[in-house]
Amino acid sequence: MAMLSPFDAAVGGDVPFVARRLFGSVRLHFSEGRERASRLVSARLGQCRLTRLNADAHLVDGSSVRIDGGRPDMIKLILQTRGLSRFHQADCDLTVGPKALVIYDPAYSYRLENPMPVEVLMLQVPRETLPRALAARLRRPLAAPLVPGGLQAVLLSMMQTTFAELDRLDAAGRDSLGRAMAELTRTIVAGCAGAEAQADAPPLALLFDRMKAYVTENVRRADLDAADIARRMGCSVRYVYKAFAAEGTTPADFIWEQRLATAAEALRSRPVRPGSIADIAFEFGFASSAHFSRLFRQRYDTTPSQWREAAA
């Protein structure tokens, strides 16, 4: 990708051409003569780029965006401090305005309809800023509401202050600001993705029934834990703990309870032979036969061998 200058500016009919140079093969469509009121200012902040666009009504066509023949290597964040617009990508339609940041991946086709004059702040951050799973989440856009005192509001304030101080920032200052904005973006995306997963999670009672069945089916696995359950259920680890807490237990306690119950049944039903208690202990994930015997006695008030003798 060709190096861009630290500062770029354009007015009127030059704005669509500079926008293509900065953002790839994106097209800005104005009604006849309306592009004359447009003004664009852009600054490179280390690996990030911050841009402000003032423009009359227009349409942004981001279908099949390419930069130097390849997919865009930047994630994009936009917020409008003036005017309201509609953002379309995949099966999502989001309002772009002063109440929420919209974060999206321009590698996937999009369209931004601006039916009125707008002032838009745009931040581009390197794709590698986000872990791969979060970057994949941006196949669909995210809306991050601006809450007073929240990270989104902090990021917006940084963006606005940067433009006010742009002429006085040296290269080191721009680079430092870019790193800070990229880190804030990463944290915001992670928080929004986690909140969506939480909102999409099933009711606790139904989820707990699914968790119980999963634990029962996988009770022999030594790596069975809350994180594994969360991955399987498609929810957060915190939500897993919440579901178990509603039943008066924890994931770890429930797993060990199920291991003990299944091991106790195995002691009753399997033939007696030397070493069979130790075999059962290891089969159900206990660290040793002593560990198994200690927990077994705490639960059933008898030893595994006494339990088996009583069953016989």
Side-chain angles (χ1 to χ4, degrees):
M1 179 177 177
M3 292 294 293
L4 299 174
S5 63
F7 303 101
D8 289 270
V11 296
D14 291 336
V15 166
F17 299 102
V18 174
R20 287 176 68 86
R21 183 163 60 86
L22 298 179
F23 308 133
S25 54
V26 62
R27 294 178 292 279
L28 275 64
H29 300 291
F30 291 88
S31 298
E32 186 175 353
R34 288 194 170 185
E35 69 273 12
R36 287 196 296 267
S38 303
R39 299 189 311 277
L40 181 148
V41 179
S42 184
R44 188 154 50 87
L45 308 175
Q47 292 184 300
C48 299
R49 179 165 283 276
L50 181 63
T51 304
R52 182 176 63 203
L53 172 67
N54 295 86
D56 209 332
H58 65 285
L59 171 69
V60 179
D61 180 2
S63 58
S64 302
V65 175
R66 293 289 183 269
I67 296 178
D68 292 343
R71 71 194 296 248
D73 58 357
M74 307 284 267
I75 300 298
K76 201 168 181 180
L77 179 153
I78 58 174
L79 180 136
Q80 288 184 186
T81 54
R82 180 168 65 97
L84 293 175
S85 303
R86 295 297 297 174
F87 181 87
H88 310 274
Q89 189 179 51
D91 57 348
C92 288
D93 291 297
L94 300 177
T95 297
V96 182
K99 294 185 178 180
L101 305 173
V102 173
I103 306 167
Y104 65 99
D105 187 342
Y108 303 100
S109 295
Y110 68 93
R111 189 173 75 258
L112 179 62
E113 298 172 357
N114 300 282
M116 63 185 73
V118 295
E119 179 177 80
V120 189
L121 297 180
M122 295 171 275
L123 175 66
Q124 295 165 278
V125 301
R127 184 179 302 279
E128 61 266 22
T129 296
L130 304 181
R132 185 172 297 179
L134 286 182
R137 164 61 188 83
L138 289 179
R139 290 176 181 271
R140 301 170 72 243
L142 278 174
L146 262 68
V147 179
L151 292 181
Q152 292 89 309
V154 172
L155 180 56
L156 172 61
S157 178
M158 288 180 66
M159 293 163 69
Q160 292 173 320
T161 302
T162 298
F163 278 114
E165 301 293 329
L166 206 52
D167 293 338
R168 292 181 285 274
L169 288 171
D170 59 13
R174 293 194 302 271
D175 185 69
S176 178
L177 276 170
R179 288 197 303 271
M181 290 183 188
E183 180 61 23
L184 276 174
T185 300
R186 185 195 64 79
T187 305
I188 289 168
V189 172
C192 290
E196 282 192 349
Q198 186 93 339
D200 292 340
L204 286 177
L206 177 60
L207 185 63
F208 185 70
D209 288 341
R210 289 171 53 196
M211 290 177 182
K212 286 195 298 184
Y214 181 70
V215 170
T216 300
E217 293 170 3
N218 295 274
V219 72
R220 289 174 172 80
R221 282 179 39 207
D223 61 345
L224 181 63
D225 60 11
D228 178 66
I229 295 172
R231 285 191 295 271
R232 181 65 177 181
M233 298 297 115
C235 64
S236 66
V237 173
R238 185 176 181 181
Y239 202 67
V240 170
Y241 276 93
K242 187 176 180 180
F244 278 92
E247 301 294 328
T249 187
T250 67
D253 287 345
F254 184 82
I255 289 169
W256 285 114
E257 186 74 17
Q258 293 305 303
R259 284 174 173 161
L260 284 168
T262 311
E265 181 59 32
L267 286 170
R268 286 182 181 275
S269 59
R270 295 184 184 180
V272 177
R273 59 177 179 77
S276 59
I277 292 179
D279 290 342
I280 289 172
F282 290 118
E283 178 183 345
F284 290 100
F286 296 90
S288 65
S289 56
H291 179 222
F292 174 50
S293 296
R294 183 173 69 256
L295 294 182
F296 194 95
R297 186 162 191 164
Q298 290 174 359
R299 174 65 180 85
Y300 295 105
D301 198 28
T302 186
T303 67
S305 59
Q306 290 170 339
W307 173 274
R308 184 167 61 182
E309 289 169 5

